[in-house]
Amino acid sequence: MAGKRHRGWRTFLTNKYLKDKEKKFVEYDPEYPVKYAIFITEEEWVAFVAQRRDENFKKVSATNRERASNPTYAYKKGRLGYARLEEKILDETKSDATSLPPHVLWKEARVGKDGTVRDDVQHIYDECETLSQSISTAEDQENRSVLSRALNVPEYPGRVRGKGHGCTPTSLYKNPRRRNPSNQEVMETLQALQAQVLQLQKDNERYRCMEKCSSQLKETSEKASINCQNKFPEGISSCQLYLSSPTYRLVGKGKVHNTSGDLLHHRPLPDEHLKVSVDVVLDKDALLPIPDIVSETTFLRDAIGSFVAWPLDLIFIDDETPTKPASKYKGILRHNESVASQKEVFAQGSQQLSQKIGSRQKNKRDLPVTSLPKKGAFVPRYQISLETLVDSSDMATAGAIRLLDMEEDIFGYSCTETIEKEDLEHIFRHQELGVGVIHTYIRFLYDNFMRGNDQLSNRFRFVSSSLVNKALICREPDSCREYLVKRFMASSTNNLYLWPYNSGCHWLLLAIDPLKEVVYFLNSIDGEWTNYPDMKQLVDTSIKVFRSQRQARVPRTKSSNITWIKVQCPLQRNGIDCGYFVMRFMREIINMNQIEIPITYFDEYKCVHYTRLQLEQIKEELCQYFIEKRLII
């Protein structure tokens, strides 16, 4: 209050001594107000006059005066004030409450004498009601109130928006003041940290000595080992299992047991083989490299949980990057996972592909046969092949399209996806992707991972980006909500719904578990879900409606607690890669076959940024799928 009085007095001095009757600054030097000498000295008066005549001050003053004369949400209670208005409302309603929520008081302060409420004021109030259900009281008081969030304005310290003068966060929320630590406490903390650093240094030195001794022992033990291989770490390590026939592909995951003298079912291992335990099968039709005679097992899917012999050159440790061997056309180019783009030997694959389409494409060019890449190099062979097909087909002309049928199991309804020439050009030139490309990749994931695999198809489902996106959420929110609820109701067990969301200029991925009411937020630009309020409100509302329709009983204290988890996923380094990141996120989530996504992302795929090679692999999968589905021919 004293500050307000002081500002008013300074304004009074300006209007009386520095301005004329027309409220314009006078050009002559005003006389020193002797009658106020007790409050202001002559030196302070000179500084005050100079500050008020400063052009920057005049500009700021004019801006503030204009904004105050035409506020966006005008206060309509005259001199009543927030405090007396709140007291009046509580008396009229005979409420036992001691105070009103800020947004309720803010709305009542903007109701005119006729009792009507402007639409924009009602909209802010409704948004506050929605936010208040998803934001806890602790988050409200520590960050910004729901009113500040709805108005999208900052919350200034020392005040609470919508509560009037004299109300502070401390007085409203009854928060204890945080006491600064004393010098003694600081010194005790510093000494504890120094002791921890000293202990870490000792542990590090001891670890180095142990590592040196173990390396010397390893050199000695390797000479006497029977089947312990130098290219693999000793002991048990997570690995990925490949097959080279009929195509080179990832078929499963497990653990390799690289120990000296290890036996398989009491028998020595074959030469150039190691003992592996099978944990996950990615190709249900994959055959074992060596059938298990003891258990009469032929298929890899029947060996889950048991031990089998696997060729050395088809085993890769999880953090290893396999490359194509120079002498054999067996290796692949990959990083942490196989992709369909490296499944086949390129020279053979492209020749066979040329023969297949040659009968259909008379007087047209054959697909180019590119020489095998050098070790560590990467050649986008399917992209090159697809570009050749496009150039030799009617897709080279403007306006040409292709149609891709989307089965009901994919999005919950049957539809047809349109692929235009521009969509293919975006892939070839590595440009921003449209919904047609994203949906085509979803069809690829369904065909290659989920079709025929009841475990994956019952665990993962997709949400159509054509039916739920930013434009439709703003224009037709009811239809978007109905589609999401209907999609959620299709599940009887825990499902993870993968939804590529387009905010208008950016792709991000939502992985929703409606039964557990958990939403995983994967954003490749490190943004928060609060930056997309329309999307968040739609998801929260849809989950609540789903909860109501399945008649789930939720404690009253947790009725509004829908858990949002920001996953620390790899981040993009430019403004065009978001679509490729979303496609790779979906592939890795399905590949891991886990409903719960770790907050720090999967260890198998954890990295700060995806490399260009990792994104090119996704493009290769898309291009191969276009070719295999004969969408261009």
Side-chain angles (χ1 to χ4, degrees):
M1 186 60 70
K4 184 178 180 181
R5 294 286 187 183
H6 183 247
R7 289 192 299 273
W9 182 62
R10 291 167 67 89
T11 302
F12 163 75
L13 291 178
T14 302
N15 294 333
K16 182 174 180 62
Y17 294 97
L18 303 184
K19 293 183 179 181
D20 55 18
K21 295 181 179 180
E22 297 179 357
K23 300 299 180 180
K24 296 181 179 180
F25 280 90
V26 297
E27 297 181 356
Y28 57 85
D29 294 334
E31 296 181 359
Y32 170 64
V34 180
K35 61 185 298 185
Y36 300 116
I38 189 175
F39 301 116
I40 183 171
T41 63
E42 293 187 13
E43 292 78 7
E44 292 174 340
W45 173 254
V46 174
F48 172 74
V49 172
Q51 185 258 346
R52 291 286 162 149
R53 285 182 169 179
D54 184 72
E55 292 299 326
N56 291 331
F57 175 83
K58 292 181 180 179
K59 184 182 297 184
V60 172
S61 178
T63 302
N64 293 338
R65 189 163 50 252
E66 181 180 358
R67 183 171 64 246
S69 63
N70 187 25
T72 306
Y73 308 100
Y75 182 87
K76 296 188 176 182
K77 296 303 178 182
R79 299 172 60 87
L80 185 61
Y82 277 104
R84 284 181 287 179
L85 174 62
E86 183 177 41
E87 184 179 352
K88 178 182 178 182
I89 295 174
L90 293 175
D91 290 341
E92 291 176 352
T93 58
K94 297 181 181 180
S95 174
D96 296 333
T98 57
S99 64
L100 296 174
H103 66 278
V104 175
L105 193 58
W106 179 87
K107 173 191 172 183
E108 293 297 329
R110 281 147 185 84
V111 177
K113 293 182 179 180
D114 56 356
T116 59
V117 182
R118 285 171 40 185
D119 292 340
D120 53 349
V121 173
Q122 185 66 39
H123 174 72
I124 295 296
Y125 174 80
D126 294 340
E127 190 168 351
C128 289
E129 286 290 306
T130 303
L131 287 174
S132 63
Q133 297 178 4
S134 58
I135 300 176
S136 63
T137 305
E139 184 181 359
D140 188 354
Q141 64 192 44
E142 290 178 3
N143 194 352
R144 290 195 301 163
S145 64
V146 293
L147 180 59
S148 297
R149 294 170 187 266
L151 293 172
N152 195 22
V153 292
E155 187 69 272
Y156 299 103
R159 52 163 283 188
V160 177
R161 187 176 296 276
K163 296 296 285 186
H165 293 288
C167 184
T168 63
T170 302
S171 62
L172 179 64
Y173 301 116
K174 308 300 182 183
N175 283 343
R177 293 185 177 273
R178 295 182 178 179
R179 181 179 61 86
N180 292 330
S182 63
N183 292 339
Q184 182 179 357
E185 292 174 339
V186 171
M187 291 302 298
E188 291 176 354
T189 303
L190 181 60
Q191 291 174 1
L193 291 175
Q194 289 175 344
Q196 292 179 14
V197 170
L198 183 61
Q199 185 63 37
L200 288 174
Q201 291 175 344
K202 292 180 179 179
D203 294 342
N204 187 36
E205 188 66 27
R206 184 165 39 300
Y207 172 76
R208 289 183 178 180
C209 293
M210 293 173 60
E211 189 179 37
K212 184 177 180 180
C213 295
S214 63
S215 62
Q216 294 174 353
L217 291 173
K218 183 178 178 181
E219 292 176 0
T220 314
S221 62
E222 283 178 348
K223 297 178 181 179
S225 64
I226 298 175
N227 56 0
C228 187
Q229 299 295 327
N230 294 337
K231 66 172 289 187
F232 297 99
E234 286 191 17
I236 303 175
S237 306
S238 298
C239 66
Q240 298 180 356
L241 307 176
Y242 290 78
L243 288 179
S244 58
S245 177
T247 59
Y248 205 107
R249 65 202 187 280
L250 173 67
V251 295
K253 291 189 174 186
K255 295 180 177 60
V256 57
H257 297 251
N258 186 33
T259 56
S260 175
D262 205 356
L263 300 176
L264 178 64
H265 304 311
H266 306 289
R267 297 183 181 183
L269 285 165
D271 293 337
E272 300 297 316
H273 284 69
L274 277 179
K275 177 181 174 181
V276 300
S277 58
V278 182
D279 298 331
V280 178
V281 174
L282 302 178
D283 186 345
K284 64 183 181 64
D285 297 324
L287 297 173
L288 290 173
I290 299 179
D292 192 346
I293 301 176
V294 177
S295 60
E296 298 182 353
T297 302
T298 304
F299 287 92
L300 179 63
R301 64 172 180 263
D302 298 328
I304 295 179
S306 61
F307 296 94
V308 296
W310 209 272
L312 296 177
D313 58 343
L314 298 178
I315 302 174
F316 293 98
I317 303 302
D318 274 355
D319 59 354
E320 182 181 354
T321 304
T323 56
K324 189 177 290 296
S327 60
K328 299 180 182 180
Y329 298 145
K330 293 184 179 179
I332 63 168
L333 298 171
R334 56 180 291 285
H335 180 79
N336 286 342
E337 63 170 318
S338 71
V339 293
S341 58
Q342 286 94 23
K343 286 182 178 178
E344 300 178 334
V345 178
F346 176 65
Q348 298 175 359
S350 58
Q351 288 176 354
Q352 294 172 0
L353 182 60
S354 299
Q355 294 172 2
K356 289 180 181 179
I357 67 173
S359 59
R360 294 172 172 247
Q361 301 272 342
K362 295 182 179 180
N363 302 324
K364 293 183 179 179
R365 294 174 291 174
D366 290 335
L367 296 179
V369 179
T370 307
S371 59
L372 287 174
K374 297 180 180 180
K375 184 176 181 179
F378 176 80
V379 175
R381 54 181 179 271
Y382 286 107
Q383 182 174 330
I384 295 173
S385 301
L386 184 60
E387 287 189 70
T388 303
L389 284 176
V390 171
D391 292 338
S392 58
S393 69
D394 64 315
M395 285 294 285
T397 61
I401 63 172
R402 291 292 187 271
L403 301 178
L404 177 64
D405 292 332
M406 307 293 285
E407 302 175 20
E408 183 178 356
D409 289 342
I410 299 177
F411 292 131
Y413 68 100
S414 300
C415 61
T416 301
E417 195 63 50
T418 302
I419 308 298
E420 302 179 2
K421 177 187 176 183
E422 289 74 12
D423 293 323
L424 300 175
E425 292 292 336
H426 292 166
I427 299 174
F428 299 153
R429 299 176 183 176
H430 198 84
Q431 296 176 343
E432 297 179 2
L433 301 179
V435 66
V437 177
I438 301 294
H439 280 186
T440 301
Y441 191 77
I442 288 177
R443 173 65 188 271
F444 159 78
L445 293 175
Y446 180 80
D447 286 346
N448 288 271
F449 289 86
M450 302 168 64
R451 186 186 298 278
N453 189 325
D454 294 339
Q455 185 183 34
L456 290 178
S457 60
N458 291 331
R459 180 167 289 184
F460 299 101
R461 299 171 187 260
F462 299 100
V463 174
S464 172
S465 302
S466 299
L467 290 188
V468 191
N469 53 54
K470 180 176 177 58
L472 288 176
I473 292 175
C474 297
R475 190 169 65 248
E476 303 175 13
D478 293 340
S479 63
C480 294
R481 184 181 63 254
E482 290 175 3
Y483 169 68
L484 282 181
V485 174
K486 182 179 178 181
R487 199 78 183 101
F488 296 159
M489 291 296 294
S491 61
S492 57
T493 58
N494 281 100
N495 296 117
L496 198 64
Y497 287 82
L498 302 180
W499 173 22
Y501 174 71
N502 193 318
S503 65
C505 58
H506 174 64
W507 286 100
L508 56 88
L509 181 66
L510 296 179
I512 307 173
D513 186 342
L515 283 178
K516 291 185 177 179
E517 300 188 352
V518 176
V519 183
Y520 298 97
F521 181 79
L522 292 85
N523 192 351
S524 57
I525 59 173
D526 198 26
E528 302 290 340
W529 60 73
T530 53
N531 297 333
Y532 309 94
D534 296 332
M535 174 269 291
K536 184 180 184 303
Q537 181 179 355
L538 172 68
V539 174
D540 289 345
T541 305
S542 301
I543 292 178
K544 292 177 182 177
V545 174
F546 168 67
R547 177 202 301 162
S548 174
Q549 290 191 7
R550 66 187 179 92
Q551 298 180 350
R553 295 183 178 181
V554 180
R556 183 176 299 179
T557 56
K558 298 182 179 180
S559 60
S560 62
N561 280 354
I562 297 173
T563 305
W564 283 71
I565 299 176
K566 180 182 177 181
V567 180
Q568 298 173 18
C569 54
L571 303 178
Q572 66 188 76
R573 288 178 283 192
N574 55 36
I576 62 176
D577 282 347
C578 55
Y580 304 97
F581 273 66
V582 165
M583 291 190 293
R584 191 169 180 96
F585 290 156
M586 291 191 293
R587 193 192 199 285
E588 292 172 348
I589 291 171
I590 295 175
N591 199 35
M592 291 305 300
N593 195 13
Q594 295 182 18
I595 291 292
E596 296 182 359
I597 303 176
I599 191 172
T600 58
Y601 205 53
F602 303 110
D603 291 336
E604 290 81 351
Y605 303 114
K606 188 181 298 182
C607 59
V608 179
H609 310 285
Y610 284 141
T611 63
R612 183 58 181 266
L613 173 61
Q614 289 173 290
L615 301 185
E616 289 293 336
Q617 291 170 350
I618 298 297
K619 293 167 61 177
E620 280 286 85
E621 286 182 330
L622 268 172
C623 293
Q624 183 185 4
Y625 189 68
F626 277 113
I627 294 173
E628 290 180 345
K629 296 295 289 186
R630 297 185 178 275
L631 291 175
I632 306 303
I633 300 176

